[in-house]
Amino acid sequence: MKNRWISLLAGILIQIILGGIYAWSTLISRLEETYGLTNGQGGFIFGLCITIFTLTMIIAGRFLVAHGPQITAGIGALLYTSGYLIASFSQGTYGILLLGLGLITGTGIGFGYVCPLTVGMKWFPHNKGFVTGISVAGFGSGAILLSTVAGHYLQSGVDILILFRWWGIISGSILFIASLFLREPAKSKKIIIKRAGRKEVFTIQFKMSSIGIFAGTFAGLLINGNLIPIVTQKGVDYLQSLSAISLFAVGNAVGRISWGYFFDRFGYKTIPISLIGLSIACLPLFQPLPQWLLLIDVMVIGFFFGANFVIYASAIARYFGQTLFSTLYPICFVAYGIAGFIAPSIGGYFIDTTGSFYTSLIIAMIIVVSVGIYSATKLGVFEKELTMDHSATK
């Protein structure tokens, strides 16, 4: 019993370190200021990292089945650290930053992220939603750690590239040590893991999960990847804008835990509820707001954004069974990667060219509302298959 709590805590620590990527808008503002990168370029580095991270999960999920969580997460730690070190020697060159932070660190995050999720579900098979929420809450809260560290040292005059170097070495070492404590339950070694095929991928349940996570993360990443420019455009000074990143991360972390509980209670109904809720939470951004209300709204958006990383993982685990989760969920997660590739770049592009984020936000809201309404019409497809699900996961 002790091993499962140690594994869960190690997984949460891994997620906290990896989740620092959500503090990206703290970093891009300094890269723009010191080395001349544009918002569009910064958004593309962030987007490429998210995309590579999700594509890598497909390979990492299979590697995890064959080699276990310790080796898989250990490889992730080495790649993650290497990416930051390469970026630290880039002298601000866009292509090298793209290689280090976008490609190599993104690959490391993919290898690391899949391990706590799978291990946690195996240790706590009857509380998939709640345990998934706790596990990925660490990823959501990681931005608090990095934005706090970055804000302190950057305000003290430390060069952003030096920050990359030391952050990579220290956080990468913590990642590697935590990976050594990931353990699977002994009985899990006897489980025969099935590979997902066309039959599962082309089901309406899997399609809705993929479309849903694309819509929700498109809006969330567009806002998160450009959060500093968005709130400063509304009159928030730089120091207060750092608190916006922390508040988004708090909402994200609380949302991941809460939506895990909601899924365990209400099941697939959480899909349309979370999407419509996200679109409503975005509406105040179109209005002039007092600073305190704007920051609260940012936290609420983070709360609904966090739902995307719990309800779709839980839905796939419940509907298709744990034996398919390790290979099927990473495929669904690619939709998040596609959203990451497109959304932050679009947001940065419109801020650079029009001076406003409203156009990109309208596009995001149309996508979210449309998918939310469509998923509500398909709820019956999920609910009537629930008894089949329970027999599949026994």
Side-chain angles (χ1 to χ4, degrees), residues 13 15-31 46 49 80 84 101 105 109 138-155 159-172 174 224 228 238 241-243 245-246 249-250:
L13 183 57
Q15 297 282 36
I16 289 172
I17 297 298
L18 297 179
I21 190 63
Y22 283 151
W24 177 251
S25 59
T26 306
L27 308 178
I28 181 54
S29 61
R30 190 52 60 96
L31 284 171
F46 176 65
C49 181
Y80 170 92
Y84 271 103
L101 298 176
T105 293
I109 294 174
F139 197 89
S141 62
I144 300 173
L145 177 62
L146 180 52
S147 65
T148 302
V149 171
H152 172 75
Y153 285 104
L154 293 177
Q155 286 298 114
D159 187 88
I160 181 69
L161 301 184
I162 299 299
L163 177 68
F164 284 160
R165 187 173 307 161
W166 286 108
W167 176 259
I169 292 170
I170 295 171
S171 64
I174 295 171
N224 180 256
I228 296 288
Y238 179 75
S241 69
L242 294 178
S243 68
I245 293 175
S246 295
V250 168

Side-chain angles (χ1 to χ4, degrees), residues 1-16 68-70 73 112-124 131 134-136 175 177-186 188:
M1 293 292 286
K2 185 173 78 170
N3 281 341
R4 72 174 183 169
W5 294 108
I6 292 174
S7 293
L8 182 62
L9 289 173
I12 292 170
L13 183 57
I14 288 171
Q15 297 282 36
I16 289 172
Q70 291 179 327
Y113 184 90
V114 72
C115 299
L117 218 59
T118 303
V119 170
M121 285 188 177
K122 287 182 178 179
W123 278 115
F124 300 87
V131 170
I134 291 176
S135 177
V136 299
L175 265 183
I177 293 169
S179 71
L180 301 177
F181 290 91
L182 283 180
R183 297 274 196 282
E184 291 183 325
S188 70

Side-chain angles (χ1 to χ4, degrees), residues 61-62 64-65 114 118 193 322-330:
R62 294 172 181 170
L64 171 63
V65 171
V114 72
T118 303
I193 303 296
Q322 187 61 48
T323 55
L324 279 171
F325 178 82
S326 294
T327 53
L328 198 55
Y329 180 61

